[in-house]
Amino acid sequence: MAGGIDPVKASARAALRWLMDMGADETVGDVPIDRFATVAVPVAAAPAPRAREAAPTPRPSPARPLPSAPSTALPQGDAAASAREIAATCDTLPALRAALQSFEGCSLKKTATQLVFADGAPDAPLMLIGEAPGRDEDIKGLPFVGASGQLLDRVLAAIGRDRTKAYITNMLFWRPPGNREPTIEETATCLPFVERHIALKRPKVIVTLGNIAAKQILRTSEGITRLRGKWFLYERDGLSIPIIATFHPAALLRNPANKRYVWRDFLSVQEKLESLGVER
Ligand code: URA
């Protein structure tokens, strides 16, 4: 094409520009995958109940009928109801992870590279709950491995802990595209899994990181600035666990002056653990 603009290249460039505007910031393969294509997969693949669960009291059937294949998209209210049903069938952390792996009710899964479930020691007394995986976490499949994760590791080190002595997860199990804020629907759909996560993990102390985790787990509309640094009790599923909210490490990277509050909050966490007889 002497002197003219190659229409194929121009169209490819326009498509790339559109993807970047939509929040794409990573190339993960040579061949495009249409994650929105309709495929015949079960909407809610709950793990099979284990033998001892199956016998005397059969589980009630789901409150609402699940749409049948081939549609994989659930209306959001149904997605949260389906999530609750499925989460309740999980008896162990690996079962919960497997259930999330096959859960099709959260649209974030379509754009994420992979599930980001948890990192650290499943039997650690301390459970940290962040917001959502970012780019690095999406690539590695582990929470808090990017810049904010490195800061979190330093905060943990300040109280003599590392990931062998803490358990880390998020409110969302898939990366929101372009790291945008999760929607209310996405958070509501993942919340039953988070609550089941806590019930199965049974930590001695919970720390929420950032606004979204604090509001959702404490079920309040108060913001993080008011909530942080105070002890509450997480009372659900027969549990009563001391819980404290603090700023998100990513917020500290933007506003380092708040580091002193987080340091203070984690010293309080260490004191709480010690008062509960937990050694470093
Ligand atoms: N921010 C989070 O809230 N979670 C992560 O896993 C990483 C960054």
Side-chain angles (χ1 to χ4, degrees):
M1 282 203 89
I5 299 170
D6 180 339
V8 175
K9 280 190 184 158
S11 143
R13 202 171 291 133
L16 188 58
R17 165 63 50 204
W18 180 83
L19 284 168
M20 288 163 72
D21 288 347
M22 291 300 107
D25 56 7
E26 179 76 9
T27 318
V28 292
D30 292 334
V31 182
I33 301 167
D34 183 357
R35 295 185 199 269
F36 293 91
T38 306
V39 286
V41 295
V43 168
R50 299 199 323 212
R52 73 179 167 76
E53 296 170 320
T57 45
R59 299 198 58 76
S61 55
R64 300 180 214 208
L66 299 174
S68 53
S71 169
T72 60
L74 281 171
Q76 282 303 334
D78 283 357
S82 170
R84 197 159 293 284
E85 286 288 331
I86 293 169
T89 66
C90 300
D91 258 6
T92 61
L93 293 175
L96 186 69
R97 183 197 185 103
L100 274 161
Q101 198 86 57
S102 49
F103 182 64
E104 300 294 338
C106 182
S107 53
L108 292 177
K109 184 178 182 181
K110 293 181 196 296
T111 48
T113 307
Q114 58 186 316
L115 174 77
V116 177
F117 182 64
D119 194 17
D123 59 350
L126 177 60
M127 181 173 190
L128 307 169
I129 306 177
E131 185 178 311
R135 179 175 170 275
D136 297 310
E137 291 76 20
D138 181 60
I139 293 169
K140 292 225 173 117
L142 290 170
F144 283 101
V145 289
S148 55
Q150 284 156 26
L151 181 52
L152 183 61
D153 286 341
R154 280 176 31 221
V155 174
L156 284 173
I159 59 163
R161 295 191 172 265
D162 58 19
R163 293 182 189 222
T164 65
K165 293 177 179 169
Y167 184 78
I168 307 175
T169 186
N170 279 310
M171 296 301 297
L172 280 293
F173 298 95
W174 296 273
R175 180 198 184 193
N179 292 356
R180 65 158 169 74
E181 274 230 348
T183 65
I184 292 172
E185 287 79 13
E186 290 156 358
T187 316
T189 302
C190 289
L191 185 60
F193 288 110
V194 176
E195 290 180 349
R196 190 72 188 143
H197 208 164
I198 295 171
L200 294 171
K201 163 77 191 79
R202 300 177 79 86
K204 290 230 187 304
V205 167
I206 301 170
V207 180
T208 61
L209 304 167
N211 208 27
I212 290 185
K215 282 182 171 174
Q216 291 290 320
I217 300 287
L218 295 172
R219 299 200 174 183
T220 174
S221 55
E222 293 249 32
I224 184 65
T225 312
R226 277 175 177 270
L227 291 172
R228 68 141 283 278
K230 299 176 188 146
W231 284 100
F232 299 91
L233 279 178
Y234 176 88
E235 295 191 300
R236 218 159 296 146
D237 300 311
L239 301 168
S240 184
I241 304 173
I243 178 168
I244 191 170
T246 194
F247 291 125
H248 193 286
L252 299 188
L253 292 173
R254 290 191 297 270
N255 187 1
N258 279 344
K259 279 185 186 170
R260 61 196 151 144
Y261 298 115
V262 174
W263 252 249
R264 202 179 291 166
D265 296 343
F266 270 84
L267 287 180
S268 178
V269 168
Q270 182 55 30
E271 276 169 23
K272 180 68 77 181
L273 286 167
E274 279 167 17
S275 75
L276 296 169
V278 176
E279 291 182 8
R280 271 183 207 241

